[in-house]
């Protein structure tokens, strides 16, 4: 089966695959993208991703796609992803952006002066390169904070006078000729790159196959190392001795193209302690047709900046840099992980689309990302309307530690604007459905995944079956917008089920079974009691119930918090779900009916309940006599071991469940809870 045609001429490649019934999509690749000679998604013969007629011959689209044949749909010239050190982008096609170019005609400096030190009276600057007879490049100083070296962003404020190392020591003026914030290149070294189509090397010419893979690795020099090495090697251009410069980190990238899809896997391994912001991929906006615009939807995101991303926001109207923070999310445990964008014509009719995001693999899993994207998980620039997903933001890596994630992008053909795709990272197959607008009776075709089991890979608010059948994946969107991602697992022969376990939709189950007792929750008013519970599999639920055995006053609010595996405690961010309140003024089984299913994660979670809205008479509930066996940290004093201990508590919880603090351990057994599987 042929899915791709790959045209290669030296370092430039064009990748052709089917877009719709009449058109193919052409994607460019450059193995030596200037100025840093890294893998880039652009070359001169194919300056944008383009659509070409399926009937176009190879000679008509290679080495140049003429505008008379192709339609430009996407500028990808800056979409290979660098890392950010917290103060500068570097790697990819970027260098440290704190160089100062001084455009001084006949400056008189020579290679003998490279590495010399100069001052503006306040700071020391290093001459890094003689660009030509009329241009010099100086590097800023650096500082060390908490063991991390970072460049000083302040350019010279006065003429530079010589301190040491130069043969030609005449002062360097800066007025009207200083150009600050210039990228210092090269900033990388020891690069390797391989290109294979279905596991075979790709020669020049035309090749066909199913998957093109490009693997690239390189090291990023530390900024401190560049300055120190230049000063220690007077007269030697730093670009000629880059392997001698101490490295900040090692970067490994894998690019994989198949059927209009690009998968990018990136791993950054620290060689020195540093702080990293990292996104794996980034994306320029689509090219709009004449008179048209670009509209973008982001699952789980509400209003951010001036736009509502839960519908089709017109990004042409975005007036300022927009951060997608936890406060803008509808479910705070699912950081912004994807977007779908359509280019529409002057009549609002979609012409071509793209979906871009992070897969729930490695540090890209929502339970991990939620810890490292508390400042922001995504941002969109107002100038370029460019999307920047963030795998981590402000994470400090010690030497030897890594951050790794996998991103995808897929071009979409009209007329349907629902995102219904399958994506593979080579090991796992993922199914994604994202859609604006409530709908019943929708169906996604997925014949290649027949009989696979759908295992939720993150939060979802859709109703889907648990397996893929011959008619695909029927689904409903109860509340707009709808979203979900699942791993499509092989339907292996079933192991013997756990005693009492159920996997039938619509059936109730107890997460903890055993003897019960009635417990009056005296002294618990506005105290959120959190109890550890364990599930052997990811489980979507749509109803939750407890039993009141003795009437009280007020209400009982309950919900579920995630588990932080690094602390063994509940995640302190907002809950996986707030199930709402239950009336406790009468006895009987009390049930919360959820507007949309909630996915309880595999492994540990924390069921929480809090008595609110009337402290007169505490309710009595059916409780678990044995509770759940789990290790519990009881603090720095042994005093807490003198009585029963069942979990943690957070005091002063007066309304809906939100971010919490742990105020201690409590002695009250968990109510018996039953869930209904959705």
């Amino acid at each position: 089966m042929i899915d791709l045609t790959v045209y290669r001429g030296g370092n430039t490649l064009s990748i052709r695959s089917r877009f719709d019934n009449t058109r193919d999509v052409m994607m460019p690749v450059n193995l030596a993208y200037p100025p840093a000679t890294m893998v880039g998604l652009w070359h001169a013969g194919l300056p944008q991703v383009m659509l070409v007629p399926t009937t176009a011959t190879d000679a008509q689209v290679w080495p140049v796609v003429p505008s008379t044949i192709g339609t430009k749909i996407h500028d990808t010239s800056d979409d290979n992803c660098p890392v950010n050190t917290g103060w500068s982008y570097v790697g990819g096609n970027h260098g440290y952006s704190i160089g100062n170019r001084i455009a001084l005609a006949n400056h008189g400096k020579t290679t003998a002066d490279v590495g010399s030190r100069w001052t503006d009276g306040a700071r020391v600057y290093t001459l890094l390169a003689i660009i030509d007879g009329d241009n010099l490049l100086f590097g800023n100083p650096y500082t060390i904070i908490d063991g991390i070296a970072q460049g000083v962003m302040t350019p010279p404020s006065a003429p530079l006078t010589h301190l040491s190392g130069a043969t030609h020591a005449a002062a360097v003026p800066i007025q009207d000729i200083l150009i600050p914030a210039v990228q210092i290149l090269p900033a990388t070294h020891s690069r390797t790159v391989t290109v294979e189509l279905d596991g075979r090397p790709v020669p020049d010419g035309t090749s066909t196959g199913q998957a093109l893979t490009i693997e690239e690795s390189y090291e990023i020099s530390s900024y401190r190392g560049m300055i120190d090495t230049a000063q220690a090697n007077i007269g030697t251009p730093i670009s000629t001795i880059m392997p001698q410069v101490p490295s900040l980190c090692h970067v490994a990238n894998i690019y994989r193209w198949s059927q209009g899809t690009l998968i990018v896997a990136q791993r950054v391994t620290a060689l020195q302690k540093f702080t990293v912001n990292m996104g794996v991929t980034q994306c320029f906006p689509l090219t709009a047709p004449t008179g048209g615009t670009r509209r973008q939807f982001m699952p789980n995101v509400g209003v951010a900046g001036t736009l509502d991303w839960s519908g089709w926001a017109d990004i042409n109207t975005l007036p300022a840099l927009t951060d997608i923070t936890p406060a803008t999310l509808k479910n705070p445990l699912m950081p912004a992980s994807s977007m779908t964008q359509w280019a529409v014509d002057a009549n609002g009719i979609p012409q071509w689309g793209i979906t871009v995001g992070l897969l729930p693999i490695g540090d890209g899993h929502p339970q991990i990302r939620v810890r490292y994207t508390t400042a922001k998980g995504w941002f969109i620039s107002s100038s370029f309307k460019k999307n920047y997903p963030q795998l981590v933001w402000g994470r400090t890596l010690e030497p030897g530690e890594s951050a790794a994630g996998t991103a995808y992008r897929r071009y979409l053909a009209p007329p349907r604007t629902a995102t219904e795709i399958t994506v593979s990272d080579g090991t796992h197959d993922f199914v994604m459905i994202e859609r604006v607008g409530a709908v019943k009776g929708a169906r996604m075709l997925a014949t290649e995944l027949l009989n696979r089991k759908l295992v939720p890979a993150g939060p979802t608010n859709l109703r889907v079956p648990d397996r893929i059948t011959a008619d695909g994946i029927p689904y409903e969107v109860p509340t707009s917008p709808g979203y979900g991602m699942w791993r499509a697992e092989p339907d292996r022969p079933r192991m013997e089920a756990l005693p009492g376990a159920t996997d039938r939709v619509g059936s109730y189950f107890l997460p903890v079974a055993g003897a019960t007792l009635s417990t009056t929750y005296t002294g618990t008013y506005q105290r959120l009691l959190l109890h550890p519970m364990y599930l052997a599999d990811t489980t979507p639920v749509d109803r939750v119930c407890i039993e009141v055995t003795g009437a009280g006053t007020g209400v009982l609010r309950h919900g579920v918090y995630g588990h932080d595996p690094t602390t063994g405690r509940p995640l302190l961010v907002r809950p996986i779900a707030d199930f709402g309140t239950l009336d406790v003024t009468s006895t009987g089984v009390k049930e919360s009916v959820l507007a949309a299913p909630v996915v309880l994660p595999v492994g540990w979670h924390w069921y929480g309940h809090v008595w609110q809205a009337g402290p007169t008479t505490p309710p009595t509930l059916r409780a678990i006599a044995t509770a759940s066996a789990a290790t519990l940290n009881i603090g720095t004093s042994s005093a807490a071991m003198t009585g029963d201990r069942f979990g943690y508590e957070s005091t002063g919880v007066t309304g809906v469940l939100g971010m919490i603090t742990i105020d201690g351990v409590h002695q009250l057994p968990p109510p018996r809870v039953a869930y209904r599987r959705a």
Side-chain angles (χ1 to χ4, degrees):
M1 181 178 178
I2 296 175
D3 292 329
L4 301 178
T5 299
V6 178
Y7 308 97
R8 180 173 185 178
N11 285 324
T12 60
L13 299 90
S14 291
I15 304 161
R16 180 178 184 175
S17 63
R18 183 59 60 93
F19 181 71
D20 58 21
N21 290 333
T22 62
R23 295 174 294 179
D24 294 343
V25 61
M26 297 275 295
M27 296 174 283
V29 182
N30 192 332
L31 301 179
Y33 184 68
T37 63
M38 297 296 173
V39 170
L41 308 181
W42 176 93
H43 65 73
L46 187 59
Q48 284 203 23
V49 175
M50 299 181 78
L51 298 179
V52 300
T54 301
T55 56
T57 66
D58 294 341
Q60 288 177 302
V61 298
W62 175 258
V64 176
V65 180
S67 57
T68 54
I69 290 180
T71 301
K72 296 178 181 179
I73 67 167
H74 192 204
D75 179 1
T76 54
S77 60
D78 195 37
D79 281 6
N80 60 327
C81 198
V83 298
N84 185 289
T85 63
W87 54 273
S88 176
Y89 284 98
V90 66
N93 60 323
H94 290 67
Y96 291 108
S97 57
I98 55 171
N100 301 285
R101 182 163 70 89
I102 297 179
L104 177 62
N106 301 313
H107 51 66
K109 304 294 186 285
T110 69
T111 299
D113 303 308
V114 170
S116 56
R117 301 166 67 245
W118 302 73
T119 182
D120 65 351
R123 288 162 293 274
V124 175
Y125 297 83
T126 303
L127 180 59
L128 291 179
I130 311 298
I131 299 174
D132 55 36
D134 300 321
N135 289 273
L136 302 170
L137 178 66
F138 286 86
N140 286 16
Y142 62 82
T143 61
I144 300 177
I145 301 174
D146 295 330
I148 298 175
Q150 58 186 43
V152 174
M153 304 299 287
T154 308
S157 58
L160 294 173
T161 58
H162 179 245
L163 284 178
S164 66
T167 300
H168 306 90
V172 179
I174 64 168
Q175 186 174 4
D176 300 328
I177 58 175
L178 170 65
I179 304 170
V182 172
Q183 293 188 33
I184 300 172
L185 293 164
T188 59
H189 64 88
S190 304
R191 176 179 179 253
T192 65
V193 63
T194 61
V195 184
E196 292 183 340
L197 181 62
D198 298 338
R200 302 185 305 273
V202 180
D204 282 359
T206 302
S207 305
T208 58
Q210 292 182 279
L212 175 73
T213 302
I214 297 177
E215 296 192 26
E216 172 188 54
S217 68
Y218 56 88
E219 293 192 6
I220 298 177
S221 298
S222 76
Y223 184 72
R224 175 187 182 181
M226 292 175 68
I227 297 299
D228 290 354
T229 302
Q231 292 178 0
N233 292 271
I234 300 295
T236 303
I238 190 73
S239 61
T240 66
I241 54 173
M242 288 300 290
Q244 298 180 28
V245 178
S247 295
L248 179 74
C249 61
H250 178 83
V251 179
N253 295 324
I254 299 176
Y255 300 85
R256 186 175 184 271
W257 287 263
S258 61
Q259 290 185 313
T261 301
L262 170 60
I263 299 292
V264 183
Q266 184 176 68
R267 177 176 293 275
V268 176
T269 303
L271 301 176
Q272 296 181 9
K273 181 181 179 181
F274 81 109
T275 299
V276 62
N277 306 326
M278 172 182 167
V280 182
T281 193
Q282 54 194 31
C283 184
F284 264 138
L286 293 171
T287 301
T290 302
T293 187
R294 287 75 60 94
R295 300 191 182 277
Q296 181 168 314
F297 156 61
M298 300 184 70
N300 192 46
V301 180
V303 175
T306 59
L307 300 180
D308 184 353
W309 303 93
S310 64
W312 293 110
D314 186 346
I315 65 170
N316 280 24
T317 65
L318 190 68
L321 175 69
T322 297
D323 290 336
I324 309 298
T325 66
T328 66
L329 303 176
K330 297 185 176 183
N331 180 341
L333 294 186
M334 191 184 93
S337 59
S338 62
M339 73 85 172
T340 296
Q341 186 181 116
W342 283 89
V344 301
D345 64 16
N347 296 315
I349 299 174
Q351 301 298 304
W352 44 81
I354 189 172
T355 181
V356 175
L358 294 168
L359 291 175
I361 299 170
D363 292 310
H365 195 282
Q367 289 181 337
I368 299 177
R369 281 189 70 220
V370 74
R371 296 171 52 206
Y372 295 118
T373 56
T374 55
K376 67 176 79 177
W378 195 291
F379 65 94
I380 306 168
S381 66
S382 59
S383 54
F384 296 118
K385 318 299 183 189
K386 188 176 183 181
N387 281 268
Y388 297 85
Q390 296 302 306
L391 183 77
V392 298
W393 185 271
R395 179 179 175 183
T396 298
L397 297 178
E398 297 287 347
E401 291 184 335
S402 296
T406 303
Y408 65 89
R409 65 171 66 196
R410 166 80 62 83
Y411 291 101
L412 306 173
R416 196 168 188 180
T417 57
T419 304
E420 301 171 350
I421 65 171
T422 60
V423 176
S424 175
D425 71 335
T427 301
H428 302 285
D429 295 316
F430 293 92
V431 172
M432 182 197 312
I433 301 174
E434 297 173 352
R435 184 167 186 153
V436 176
V439 65
K440 292 185 178 181
R443 181 168 60 94
M444 172 184 171
L445 296 176
T447 54
E448 72 277 17
L449 301 177
L450 180 64
N451 293 328
R452 297 281 192 95
K453 181 180 179 181
L454 291 175
V455 179
T460 178
N461 63 354
L462 302 181
R463 301 183 190 277
V464 300
D466 60 357
R467 279 172 175 77
I468 302 171
T469 61
D471 64 347
I473 306 171
Y475 67 91
E476 293 183 3
V477 181
T479 304
S480 178
Y483 57 86
M485 181 178 284
W486 301 263
R487 291 193 317 275
E489 300 284 5
D491 192 16
R492 300 183 182 93
R494 289 177 177 270
M495 302 297 289
E496 182 178 354
L498 294 171
T502 175
D503 66 352
R504 292 186 296 112
V505 172
S507 61
Y508 289 85
F509 68 93
L510 301 169
V512 180
T516 65
L517 47 78
S518 287
T519 298
T520 302
Y521 287 82
T522 304
T524 65
Y525 187 66
Q526 294 181 353
R527 288 168 57 196
L528 175 65
L529 308 181
L530 294 151
H531 307 274
M533 294 190 177
Y534 186 87
L535 290 176
D537 202 358
T538 303
T539 308
V541 299
D542 60 7
R543 296 192 180 193
V544 192
C545 38
I546 62 171
E547 183 183 358
V548 178
T549 57
T553 55
V555 298
L556 192 80
R557 181 178 293 277
H558 62 156
V560 168
Y561 281 80
H563 180 69
D564 187 344
T566 64
T567 65
R569 292 185 168 202
L571 281 169
L572 303 182
V573 297
R574 289 176 288 171
I576 293 174
D578 183 331
F579 298 142
T581 59
L582 295 170
D583 174 49
V584 295
T585 61
S586 62
T587 61
V589 174
K590 308 292 182 175
E591 186 168 51
S592 294
V593 179
L594 310 183
V598 169
V599 176
L600 299 179
V602 63
W604 292 101
H605 68 271
W606 293 80
Y607 173 81
H609 63 101
V610 53
W611 174 32
Q612 298 176 335
T616 306
T617 305
T620 300
L621 306 178
R622 181 81 62 193
I624 303 169
T626 56
S628 54
T631 303
L632 190 72
N633 185 345
I634 59 175
T636 57
S637 168
S638 61
M641 70 172 291
T642 57
D644 293 338
R645 300 295 168 185
F646 290 98
Y648 297 108
E649 70 175 11
S650 182
T651 59
V653 179
T654 59
V656 298
L657 303 182
M659 295 186 66
I660 57 172
T661 57
I662 299 299
D663 298 314
V665 291
H666 67 78
Q667 293 181 278
L668 292 151
R672 184 168 68 175
V673 181
Y675 295 103
R676 192 178 80 165
R677 192 174 189 278

